[in-house]
Amino acid sequence: GGFEDAPEPDYAWVDGIGTNVVITTQVTPLAYVTDHRIGISAHVRGGHTPSNTDTKWSLILHDGTLSLLEEGIAWRAQTPFDYAPDHAYLLQMSISGGRVQGKAWEVGSPEPAGWMVTAEFTTQLGEDGVGLYSGRARARFDFIRVDPGPPNLSLGSDRVGNVFVDGEAAEITATVRDQGGQGGSYTLEYAIQNAYGQSVRQGSESLSLPPGGEVQRTVSVSPSAHGYYSASFELRAGTEVVASASTTLAIVAAPIEGTRPESPWGIGGGGAFIGIRFGEQQARNSLELVHRANIAFTREEIFWESVEPRQGEFHWEVFDPSVEEAHRQGVLIMGLLDYFAPWSVPHGYGGQEG
C-alpha cells in the first residue's frame, strides 16, 4: 500500500542498493505549495542525517516541471510537465556513472519513448541508498522498484587526482561494466581537449561486453605540454548514448619538496568539504594533492546541522576520517562551525519559514 509524506521535507530510503540503477515509482501528489519537490533520489545518505540535502541526485516534480536536481549543487535539467493533485504518475530515473536521465507520465497514458530530461552530474558520492522524498507537499507513493542500470562507464588513472608530472605516461583508463547480465556490443567514443577547448585527441573503439563482465580501454594524452585537460567519453549502443563520463587531468612540472612549514599558502575547500559533500576517498585524494602542492592549511566548513542534527546528539564521526587524513598529510585545518541546525531556529532562519 501507499504512504504519505510529511508536509516538510521527509525521506524514506533503503541503503546498500547501488549507484548504477533504474528507479521507478508511482506517486500521487495530494497537496503542495510553491517550490514543492516530490520524487525519487539516488545516492541517498542514511544514518543520522536523512535530511542532508547535499547528498542526493533527484528526479522531482517541481512547480509545473519535471526536473533533475543535484542537491546542494545545481538544477541540472528541467522540462515543462503538467500534473495535478489526486492524479497518479510514474516517475523513472536512470543512472549510469554521472549520466542521469528521467521521464514521467500519467498512469494510463503511454510511456514516453525517450528520456525527457538528461544531464551530467559532477559530485563523487559514495552513498548507495535509493529512496523517495517530498518537500512542501503531501504525496502518496504506491511502490518503488529498482532495476539494474545500463552499462556503467567509469574513468580513472594510477595517479591521485589524475595529476601527472614530466616523464610519466598521462593515460586515462575507461572501464565499462555490465549491470544487467546481458552484455552486448557497444562503441566507445572519446575526446580530449586542452584548457582552450582545442582538440588534443579523439577517436572511437568497438567493444564486446561479456554478460556480467567488464572491458577496459586506455587512452594516452602524452606527449602533451604542461597544462589542464578535459576528457569526455560516451558509450553508444547503435546511435543511442547509454552511458557517459568525463574527467580532468593535469600535466605539471615535478613538485619542489620541503617548503612546508614555511609555506604561507592556504586553500579553500582543500579537504573537499570534509564530511559534507564528498566521500572519504575523495577527501583523501584532495588532501594528498594539497600536501604535494606544499600548501600549509585548508579552510573547511563544518555544518552545525551535520554535527548536531538533534539537540544534544553529536556526530563528529562524519568529519573524523578527513581530519585524521589531514593530520597524516601534515595539512592544518582552519575549521569554521557554520550556519544553523534546524532545531535551533524553529521559526526558520531570519524569521523565514523553511
Side-chain angles (χ1 to χ4, degrees):
F3 64 87
E4 293 185 359
D5 276 353
E8 294 304 317
D10 194 18
Y11 304 85
W13 73 97
V14 179
D15 290 325
I17 299 299
T19 57
N20 294 283
V21 292
V22 177
I23 308 169
T24 307
T25 190
Q26 179 174 312
V27 58
T28 303
L30 301 176
Y32 43 81
V33 297
T34 302
D35 197 28
H36 57 273
R37 304 176 185 192
I38 304 169
I40 47 182
S41 297
H43 288 293
V44 178
R45 172 186 294 177
H48 62 274
T49 54
S51 61
N52 187 324
T53 58
D54 286 333
T55 54
K56 287 182 288 298
W57 296 359
S58 301
L59 174 72
I60 57 177
L61 302 177
H62 176 254
D63 291 351
T65 70
L66 179 68
S67 300
L68 287 173
L69 175 62
E70 189 169 3
E71 300 195 54
I73 304 294
W75 294 96
R76 291 302 185 190
Q78 292 181 314
T79 189
F81 182 70
D82 291 330
Y83 54 91
D86 300 317
H87 288 241
Y89 302 90
L90 290 164
L91 273 64
Q92 188 172 87
M93 177 168 64
S94 171
I95 302 171
S96 179
R99 187 178 182 84
V100 183
Q101 301 176 105
K103 57 184 171 182
W105 64 101
E106 187 169 2
V107 172
S109 299
E111 177 181 347
W115 298 105
M116 297 165 60
V117 283
T118 300
E120 294 294 329
F121 284 35
T122 59
T123 45
Q124 303 297 313
L125 299 175
E127 290 78 15
D128 57 4
V130 302
L132 311 166
Y133 93 98
S134 173
R136 299 178 66 82
R138 294 182 62 83
R140 186 182 70 244
F141 294 89
D142 291 294
F143 70 82
I144 182 170
R145 187 180 73 238
V146 182
D147 298 301
N152 171 239
L153 172 61
S154 61
L155 306 176
S157 73
D158 60 357
R159 293 294 182 269
V160 173
N162 299 334
V163 177
F164 302 87
V165 301
D166 288 329
E168 296 179 339
E171 297 177 334
I172 297 296
T173 298
T175 302
V176 181
R177 295 183 179 87
D178 181 50
Q179 304 290 322
Q182 301 298 316
S185 297
Y186 300 91
T187 300
L188 181 67
E189 299 182 352
Y190 59 86
I192 299 173
Q193 296 182 325
N194 62 21
Y196 302 100
Q198 299 167 331
S199 177
V200 173
R201 185 175 181 184
Q202 58 184 3
S204 63
E205 295 187 33
S206 298
L207 302 179
S208 179
L209 186 61
E214 71 175 40
V215 175
Q216 290 188 327
R217 293 291 185 270
T218 298
V219 177
S220 174
V221 185
S222 300
S224 294
H226 294 165
Y228 166 90
Y229 298 86
S230 61
S232 300
F233 288 69
E234 290 185 340
L235 186 69
R236 294 179 178 268
T239 59
E240 180 187 2
V241 177
V242 296
S244 63
S246 61
T247 190
T248 57
L249 62 146
I251 301 175
V252 301
I256 301 173
E257 297 291 346
T259 62
R260 230 174 18 252
E262 293 79 8
S263 170
W265 302 110
I267 189 171
F273 298 95
I274 55 176
I276 298 173
R277 184 165 295 164
F278 300 115
E280 292 181 21
Q281 185 60 53
Q282 177 69 17
R284 285 195 293 269
N285 292 346
S286 298
L287 287 162
E288 182 176 335
L289 292 175
V290 170
H291 169 82
R292 290 174 59 187
N294 289 300
I295 293 171
F297 69 92
T298 173
R299 173 192 180 277
E300 297 295 340
E301 295 186 343
I302 299 174
F303 287 2
W304 184 6
E305 66 174 330
S306 296
V307 173
E308 192 181 7
R310 285 171 287 276
Q311 188 171 12
E313 179 183 325
F314 293 94
H315 291 276
W316 293 102
E317 71 274 9
V318 175
F319 302 94
D320 287 345
S322 294
V323 173
E324 292 167 359
E325 183 64 26
H327 180 73
R328 281 191 292 269
Q329 296 290 350
V331 177
L332 301 175
I333 292 178
M334 183 177 72
L336 286 74
L337 185 60
D338 278 359
Y339 308 111
F340 62 95
W343 57 263
S344 70
V345 281
H347 300 293
Y349 180 70
Q352 300 298 314
E353 295 292 337

